[in-house]
Each structure stands twice: as structure tokens, then as C-alpha cells.
Amino acid sequence: MKYPVEHKFAKQWWISLSEACNWKCWYCDFPMKKDIKTADADYLKWFLNILKPVIKDKNIEICVEGGEIGLVDPHILDIFFNSDLDKSYTVTTNGLFMRQDYHNRYKDHIHYILYHVVSDVTDPNVVFEKYKDTDPSIKIDYTIVIHKRNIKYLDEFFDNNKDCIFLPHLMQPRRPGLDFLSIEEFEQIYDILKDKENVYDHFKNRILNIIQHLKEEQSDPTKLKKMRDFCANVYHKPIFDLPNRLIKRCCITIDNCDAADITEENLYKLVNNDVSLFPKTDPICDNCIANFLWRHNPKWMLKYNRDELMNITRSLRRNNYHEVL
Ligand code: SF4
């Protein structure tokens, strides 16, 4: 199954409206939070007001989430979705957003929903709600998180849900102390998924990419480190943590990466890829196998995003980050 929006956007800017979530996924950093915060209305209006000129005419996809966005106060959602940012949004949800019928309420402002169907696949017969009658202008993909302990259920799980198209997620270093997948486990996952019609080819290709790079890393660790350091300076997927009024380097995690204050000046640094915004490297990258790590390397950008690469190279040179290239 071909992934329709690939290469469409140069960058994805994520916005977190709240820390509240009705799930407690063991691999996530949100449940670890003590005093749950949410974005307030005046601050959100101020943020949207300074964001608009920064992203005007920029090839940036705006993605919004919580915690769980379905728990966010409707007044806050109205301010966000009815803001005149002149963008159509991507929403990630565990389904509560649709159960609240928000996908219909804001259908004129949403083009893509990534629906996390279950917190963890611990039973291949797990049942979840399926959305077949949504507005055709909104594309919904289904996702699960794959990790060491649920590989054994994947084959039957995907066969039990042939009526849904899946863009699975591989467990990422969202919080410290997670046990990552080994090369052998990636090979096992690939063998299970390679012939599944209801899993995107682009995800299967990525697993082959990961296996190739992790094998190379065994003989030459510098190459993958260089790719991770470059990715850390591409600012491809930052996240705006509005409850804490901070820009975080990467949406892989909301708490365990570098942060900077949300100011107009810092938003321009981000959009101009001014690499003085964050330190050169970030420990969060050390175990990263994210999609855009493979995609957002100089060779790929030279082919698909030359302008952005030139922009980044100038900024890296200006800040003496030559070795990152
Ligand atoms: S290497 Fe991974 S964690 Fe680091 S910035 Fe890139 S995607 Fe984020």
C-alpha cells in the first residue's frame, strides 16, 4: 500500500495542547507527569498570533495532540481549530477525539487523523472502534506501537483487522529505561509484515532501512551517529509544549529532549533552522530509529528538499557545526 502524503511536507511542527490523557501507556512519558497542565486560552491566542507570520507560505505541516486531544476543553479546541493559520491539520488521537464527534465538528480544518487504536496489543483479538463513515476529505490511518513483548501477536492481529490500513509505530526512546528492539527482532517483525496488504510499504521499507543501518553500526558506529547528529540539527519535528510554554527539539518525546522558551525570536530561529537554538547533539538521539532520521539526511534532502538543505548547511556553517554535515 503506497503512502499518499510522503515527501509532501518539508517539516512537521507538533503542538501539544494538554498533558492530560485517559490512557497510561507504559512506553510513554505523559503518564509520568505529576501535576497535569493544559494550555490556557489567552496564551494559546498569543501563540497562534506569533506563529501565523512565521509559518506563512512555509511548507510546514501543523500537527496537534494532547496528551489525548479528545480531553481538551472544547473552548480551547475552538480557539485552535478556528484560528486563521491557513493550514489544514493533522490530529493524533486514541479515538476519544472521534467519540466526542470532534472530527466532524472541525472537519473543515483537518486533513489527516492518526488513530492509536489500543494502548498495547496484548491479545490479537482485541476489539477497537473503526471509523468507516468519516468525511472523505479526512484520511484516517490506524496505528499501534510495536515493541519486544507484542511481536508474537502481530501476525494474527493484522489478519484480524484486514479492513483497516495501518501505519504502525516502533517503540521510540520517549522516556529513559526502555528496552529497544534488537536487529533479530526487527528481522522477525519484517518477516511477519512483509506480505501484509493492510500495512504501508513505506513502513516495511523503513524496517529494512533500520536493519541495514544497525548492522552497519556494528562495524562502524560513526555513520549512524553522524546521521543522528544531522537529524538533531534539522529541526524537522519540533513540538510546542504549550502547557509548559516551551519548544522541544523533537516530538519523539515531550520531556526527554532539549527545550527553549516559546518566543517570537525563537520561532524565527526554528523556521530558519538557526542551529544555535538548541545544543549540537541530544542524548535522546542515541537510540533513535525514527522515520525522518532515515529520510532527513543530506543525501535524501539533496534529492527531495534542496532548498531546506542549503538553508541548514548555511546555518551549520555560520555556527561552526561543519562536522555535523
Ligand atoms: S535523531 Fe531521532 S530523536 Fe534525534 S532529532 Fe532526529 S528524530 Fe529526533
Side-chain angles (χ1 to χ4, degrees):
M1 167 68 67
K2 278 302 292 147
Y3 191 59
V5 293
E6 201 165 11
H7 310 331
K8 186 173 171 199
F9 292 97
K11 293 186 182 254
Q12 286 184 335
W13 284 12
W14 289 78
I15 297 173
S16 167
L17 294 175
S18 170
E19 298 178 328
C21 188
N22 52 330
W23 281 4
K24 297 267 174 281
C25 305
W26 60 269
Y27 45 78
C28 183
D29 45 1
F30 274 100
M32 321 230 350
K33 294 176 179 292
K34 298 290 173 280
D35 58 347
I36 298 299
K37 300 191 197 114
T38 194
D40 76 42
D42 295 338
Y43 184 80
L44 176 58
K45 287 177 190 158
W46 170 81
F47 170 70
L48 294 168
N49 193 38
I50 63 166
L51 181 65
K52 187 174 177 196
V54 174
I55 60 172
K56 190 170 182 329
D57 307 328
K58 291 280 186 302
N59 184 6
I60 297 174
E61 181 182 13
I62 300 294
C63 313
V64 61
E65 60 176 17
E68 166 46 39
I69 193 170
L71 285 173
V72 173
D73 178 324
H75 173 53
I76 296 285
L77 293 178
D78 280 347
I79 293 169
F80 179 81
F81 283 108
N82 300 330
S83 63
D84 57 354
L85 281 185
D86 188 23
K87 289 276 181 186
S88 171
Y89 304 110
T90 282
V91 171
T92 60
T93 176
N94 63 20
L96 189 57
F97 187 79
M98 278 88 84
R99 286 199 294 284
Q100 311 263 52
D101 201 39
Y102 288 142
H103 60 308
N104 287 322
R105 180 172 167 157
Y106 302 117
K107 67 178 179 348
D108 300 338
H109 308 285
I110 300 171
H111 73 267
Y112 182 61
I113 295 177
L114 188 61
Y115 168 29
H116 188 185
V117 296
V118 284
S119 169
D120 200 357
V121 177
T122 53
D123 166 3
N125 305 303
V126 61
V127 176
F128 54 88
E129 210 154 339
K130 297 178 178 177
Y131 295 92
K132 300 296 175 198
D133 61 351
T134 53
D135 186 293
S137 67
I138 302 177
K139 179 170 174 45
I140 294 190
D141 279 338
Y142 294 68
T143 193
I144 59 168
V145 172
I146 296 176
H147 54 79
K148 281 180 185 299
R149 295 205 293 269
N150 64 16
I151 297 173
K152 58 179 175 269
Y153 304 118
L154 295 179
D155 195 12
E156 206 180 333
F157 172 81
F158 286 116
D159 286 351
N160 290 346
N161 298 288
K162 285 191 172 151
D163 57 337
C164 301
I165 302 295
F166 286 88
L167 179 60
H169 276 57
L170 296 160
M171 192 175 69
Q172 288 286 13
R174 282 189 79 90
R175 64 170 179 77
L178 291 174
D179 193 3
F180 299 110
L181 293 156
S182 65
I183 294 175
E184 294 68 31
E185 283 157 343
F186 281 119
E187 287 166 340
Q188 206 188 338
I189 294 166
Y190 183 75
D191 287 342
I192 293 166
L193 299 187
K194 67 178 183 297
D195 302 321
K196 299 283 182 221
E197 278 294 312
N198 58 338
V199 175
Y200 280 112
D201 296 342
H202 130 277
F203 179 75
K204 300 169 195 171
N205 299 338
R206 185 173 139 217
I207 295 182
L208 292 179
N209 234 339
I210 293 168
I211 293 167
Q212 177 218 331
H213 282 99
L214 292 180
K215 283 188 174 165
E216 272 171 14
E217 190 187 26
Q218 291 174 330
S219 52
D220 167 13
T222 60
K223 187 163 174 258
L224 187 50
K225 170 123 184 45
K226 206 171 170 67
M227 288 174 73
R228 285 169 170 158
D229 290 350
F230 180 84
C231 187
N233 289 286
V234 168
Y235 301 164
H236 171 67
K237 283 196 172 186
I239 184 160
F240 295 96
D241 175 357
L242 297 191
N244 296 291
R245 305 183 175 194
L246 293 169
I247 309 170
K248 305 286 177 71
R249 182 201 294 270
C250 183
C251 67
I252 289 279
T253 174
I254 195 119
D255 267 347
N256 300 297
C257 65
D258 296 315
D261 291 332
I262 296 181
T263 63
E264 204 161 351
E265 186 201 354
N266 282 346
L267 259 67
Y268 279 104
K269 277 191 173 184
L270 199 64
V271 83
N272 296 325
N273 222 100
D274 178 336
V275 288
S276 63
L277 182 59
F278 296 123
K280 202 180 305 179
T281 58
D282 196 324
I284 196 72
C285 307
D286 297 351
N287 290 292
C288 180
I289 44 143
N291 188 13
F292 37 99
L293 168 61
W294 317 122
R295 267 212 232 140
H296 285 73
N297 54 59
K299 215 161 78 254
W300 180 91
M301 293 184 83
L302 205 57
K303 192 165 171 211
Y304 290 108
N305 207 346
R306 192 177 291 258
D307 298 351
E308 192 70 23
L309 181 60
M310 294 309 124
N311 192 15
I312 290 163
T313 310
R314 275 192 296 275
S315 174
L316 289 167
R317 290 224 159 84
R318 218 176 23 252
N319 291 277
N320 306 321
Y321 278 14
H322 306 297
E323 72 280 9
V324 169
L325 267 178

